[in-house]
Amino acid sequence: RMAMPVSGSVAKDATPVNGICNRADTSAIARNFGSMHGLLVAVCKRLTARTIERSQSHRVASSPEVGLQLLTDPDLALRNRVIAWMIAEGMDPGVEKASYQATLGAMAAEFQSRVPVSDRTAMLWMQIAALITEALAVFDEVHFLEPADRLDAMQMMLTLRDRLPEVEREINWVGGQ
């Protein structure tokens, strides 16, 4: 319950994470989350869950508009900015690796239910999608893409996604399959 006010969708110009942390009741945070890090991890997990829940209504990104909506989900963008901030503040990125890998694994399995590819291809595709969403959340403003460019880029991604079974057959995997 304490993470709720922090975990709502907010615009890019909303209160920065460090401002929220500076105003937080640290004794309540310690009691409920163990630390500020624990609070922010809980917020990130909630934001991820809300993003996944919302994305279930779009099982397949059937158009560039839907795909772009999924990649630029405001809760996912906030989660990515909070994680980037925590890493910049000194958090070991490996601390949440198991949870992150489990989320990607679940997404990869769901992806395979729609696109017939190997476990390796599905996981790598999810990693690529995650990297793109993280980059959009942190560096979007420095690229000055027009809306039409964003839609064209998403169309490229959807086309590649649809061709993954063929691409997978053509690739000579370095790490094996």
Side-chain angles (χ1 to χ4, degrees), residues 132 135-146 149-150:
I132 290 170
L136 280 169
V138 177
F139 296 110
D140 181 46
E141 294 172 344
V142 300
H143 290 282
F144 307 105
L145 290 174
E146 297 295 325
D149 295 330
R150 292 173 189 280

Side-chain angles (χ1 to χ4, degrees), residues 17-40:
V17 173
N18 57 353
I20 294 168
C21 294
N22 291 337
R23 290 191 312 275
D25 177 357
T26 54
S27 64
I29 291 169
R31 187 173 49 257
N32 291 288
F33 299 100
S35 66
M36 186 62 69
H37 171 80
L39 167 65
L40 294 174

Side-chain angles (χ1 to χ4, degrees), residues 12 36 39 60 64 72 82 93 106 111 121 143 165 169-170:
K12 289 183 181 180
M36 186 62 69
L39 167 65
V60 177
T72 59
V82 169
F111 178 74
T121 297
H143 290 282
R169 286 189 298 275
E170 294 173 10

Side-chain angles (χ1 to χ4, degrees), residues 116 121 163-173 177:
T121 297
R163 288 196 58 233
L164 277 177
E166 177 186 338
V167 170
E168 180 180 56
R169 286 189 298 275
E170 294 173 10
I171 291 177
N172 191 8
W173 292 104
Q177 201 164 339

Side-chain angles (χ1 to χ4, degrees), residues 2-177:
M2 289 184 57
M4 281 291 259
V6 178
S7 68
S9 298
V10 297
K12 289 183 181 180
D13 62 345
T15 303
V17 173
N18 57 353
I20 294 168
C21 294
N22 291 337
R23 290 191 312 275
D25 177 357
T26 54
S27 64
I29 291 169
R31 187 173 49 257
N32 291 288
F33 299 100
S35 66
M36 186 62 69
H37 171 80
L39 167 65
L40 294 174
V41 167
V43 168
C44 288
K45 287 180 180 178
R46 179 157 174 107
L47 291 168
T48 300
R50 287 172 30 161
T51 300
I52 290 170
E53 182 181 304
R54 207 171 17 263
S55 72
Q56 296 304 316
S57 64
H58 304 291
R59 277 189 49 88
V60 177
S62 55
S63 71
E65 294 82 4
V66 170
L68 194 57
Q69 180 182 358
L70 293 172
L71 282 180
T72 59
D73 180 88
D75 284 339
L76 186 58
L78 179 58
R79 172 225 176 255
N80 291 335
R81 286 192 300 276
V82 169
I83 288 176
W85 179 84
M86 289 192 308
I87 291 170
E89 289 291 310
M91 178 189 92
D92 174 7
V95 169
E96 297 301 319
K97 183 177 180 180
S99 173
Y100 188 70
Q101 289 298 101
T103 299
L104 286 179
M107 291 169 60
E110 200 277 329
F111 178 74
Q112 284 179 290
S113 72
R114 298 183 323 258
V115 182
V117 293
S118 68
D119 292 348
R120 178 173 173 76
T121 297
M123 186 57 103
L124 287 173
W125 184 255
M126 290 299 106
Q127 290 282 356
I128 290 167
L131 286 167
I132 290 170
T133 62
E134 291 159 358
L136 280 169
V138 177
F139 296 110
D140 181 46
E141 294 172 344
V142 300
H143 290 282
F144 307 105
L145 290 174
E146 297 295 325
D149 295 330
R150 292 173 189 280
L151 291 175
D152 287 346
M154 184 50 60
Q155 185 62 52
M156 287 173 67
M157 290 292 295
L158 295 177
T159 300
L160 180 56
R161 178 206 61 196
D162 293 343
R163 288 196 58 233
L164 277 177
E166 177 186 338
V167 170
E168 180 180 56
R169 286 189 298 275
E170 294 173 10
I171 291 177
N172 191 8
W173 292 104
V174 173
Q177 201 164 339

